[in-house]
Amino acid sequence: ISEAISDMAGDSPMNRLIQGDVGSGKTAVAAALCWCVVSAGMQAAMMAPTEILAAQHFTSLSSLLEPAGIRVALLTGSVKAAEKRKLYASLEAGEIDLIIGTHALLSEGVAFRDLGLVITDEQHRFGVGQRSALAQKGTSPHFLVMSATPIPRTLALMMYGDLDISVLDELPPGRQKIETYLIDSKKRVRAFGFVQKHLDEGRQGYLICPLIEEDETGLASVKEYAGLVKDCFPHASVGILHGKMKPAEKNSIMDAFARKDIDILVSTTVIEVGINVPNATVMMVENAERFGLAQLHQLRGRVGRGDAQSYCIFISGNDNEQTMKRLKILNSSNDGFHIANED
């Protein structure tokens, strides 16, 4: 925070990348900087790549900042037209201090009274053009770019050479190490039994598979896999989430999962970023060999968000020696930066 504030107090606009592992406190840094900018009489905008993530940031930042008198609003594609017009007018009049949204923030109607800080979350999901399009809605605003996908510093400098880099390399107090297991597909039934044990304790779980539709590789699609899961867990409520669903559908499934109306969420990697359900304590990833290590580490970060011990099971249908060696790195480390370097 102090690095960023000293940038913001300087002669030229801040351009800083904050890299931090899953749960390292990037949102807290963003909140502090928004508070500083708003206290100085300006506005802040935060752009996230998905509606789910934008809504989540809205919830957490509102609870941090509204008690300090900061007016926070949410703008996404699914906000109704009349509501949007009201938002646009309030924003331009300076009645909103912090607006959080998706690409919808880039719309023509979005204008600020005085934009002082632009934050983009999960920066690699946005193009450079999108980043600057939001900045152009202000007069040289400060820039904070956040990424939860740890990038080795050398690579970060190549990709974001125009940015100063801050690294958050610690986890918040009380976070437990997630127990990780790598198994072959023959042990799937036992793994399902393990998941059931967690459901019996009133917990929830994620089951991840790589594809939405059946293809020639013969890997199960999400819909087929969900059928198998329903057969294996006859007493559990099973939800499905994938990238081809409409935003409103995705949001209603995620809300149901957060409310504990869904016990098991069968999903593609659409949940890789930012989902926060503290009651979910078990994550199982099918065909783990088809994912990058950093991606698997992100998926693992969806559990272990409460105070209960959490578990992650990677199932690989491929016993190739090189594949197994690669996946074992996840067994030995919970440090996203180390994993990214290995990747």
Side-chain angles (χ1 to χ4, degrees), residues 14 164 199:
M14 168 176 78
D164 298 308
L199 300 185

Side-chain angles (χ1 to χ4, degrees), residues 124-258:
H124 58 286
R125 299 284 179 101
F126 294 107
V128 178
Q130 289 171 321
R131 198 169 87 191
S132 60
L134 187 50
Q136 279 157 17
K137 293 182 182 284
T139 317
S140 308
H142 296 295
F143 240 127
L144 183 71
V145 171
M146 304 201 297
S147 176
T149 305
I151 310 164
R153 193 176 278 272
T154 45
L155 197 56
L157 284 167
M158 281 161 58
M159 289 165 72
Y160 305 118
D162 56 331
L163 300 172
D164 298 308
I165 295 175
S166 299
V167 174
L168 284 171
D169 56 3
E170 53 199 315
L171 283 185
R175 276 284 172 98
Q176 298 193 36
K177 184 174 185 289
I178 298 162
E179 295 284 339
T180 304
Y181 302 102
L182 174 60
I183 62 172
D184 65 36
S185 47
K186 296 187 200 77
K187 295 192 175 137
R188 184 183 288 108
V189 173
R190 265 179 69 186
F192 276 175
F194 183 74
V195 172
Q196 184 62 55
K197 202 176 87 185
H198 285 259
L199 300 185
D200 294 344
E201 290 166 6
R203 300 290 179 182
Q204 293 157 281
Y206 299 96
L207 301 186
I208 308 297
C209 55
L211 299 171
I212 297 176
E213 281 145 12
E214 188 62 71
D215 74 350
E216 68 284 354
T217 60
L219 295 167
S221 76
V222 179
K223 289 168 191 162
E224 265 192 29
Y225 185 63
L228 166 76
V229 170
K230 283 174 180 159
D231 292 344
C232 295
F233 296 93
H235 305 300
S237 153
V238 178
I240 301 182
L241 194 66
H242 58 74
K244 286 193 178 172
M245 291 164 83
K246 293 194 167 63
E249 278 182 288
K250 281 188 206 165
N251 288 340
S252 74
I253 292 282
M254 277 315 306
D255 289 345
F257 190 59

Side-chain angles (χ1 to χ4, degrees), residues 84 88 125 265 274 304 311 332 337:
K84 263 188 196 148
Y88 291 168
R125 299 284 179 101
L265 190 58
Y311 301 86
S332 61
F337 288 98

Side-chain angles (χ1 to χ4, degrees), residues 80 121-122:
K80 300 275 187 293
D121 189 26
E122 290 303 326

Side-chain angles (χ1 to χ4, degrees), residues 65-79:
L65 295 171
E66 281 181 348
I70 290 174
R71 299 159 298 183
V72 188
L74 176 67
L75 174 65
T76 62
S78 49
V79 172

